[in-house]
Amino acid sequence: LLAKFSEIDARFQINLVRPDGESWYTFLHHAVLGNAAPEVVRELISRGHLRSIRDAAGERPVDLARRLERHH
């Protein structure tokens, strides 16, 4: 049971944003912004990162990627 809670906790934490940040960027937003390798994006998603989280401007990571013309 403890292992299951640990897994849930890890999946929750990967979707957090900085509480004092104004952009509300998640790790996936930062990966897109930094033009990370496709493997990094795939790994974040495989670890439970939600692709539907919007930043302060209302953009999901995929919206940010399209606007910046990043092709992951």
Side-chain angles (χ1 to χ4, degrees):
L1 186 58
L2 188 56
K4 191 64 173 170
F5 280 125
S6 179
E7 179 184 330
I8 291 168
D9 188 48
R11 288 183 180 269
F12 172 73
Q13 289 184 23
I14 200 167
N15 291 296
L16 292 179
V17 298
R18 283 183 36 202
D20 61 340
E22 295 180 14
S23 67
W24 300 356
Y25 283 169
T26 63
F27 287 111
L28 194 52
H29 285 94
H30 281 290
V32 170
L33 190 64
N35 203 21
E39 298 82 30
V40 172
V41 173
R42 283 194 292 271
E43 183 66 23
L44 286 169
I45 292 168
S46 75
R47 290 178 179 253
H49 198 296
L50 299 175
R51 293 171 277 181
S52 59
I53 296 176
R54 296 180 184 270
D55 63 16
E59 290 185 309
R60 299 167 300 165
V62 69
D63 302 323
L64 183 61
R66 286 181 183 139
R67 182 168 57 80
L68 298 175
E69 298 181 4
R70 307 279 164 79
H71 305 285
H72 289 92

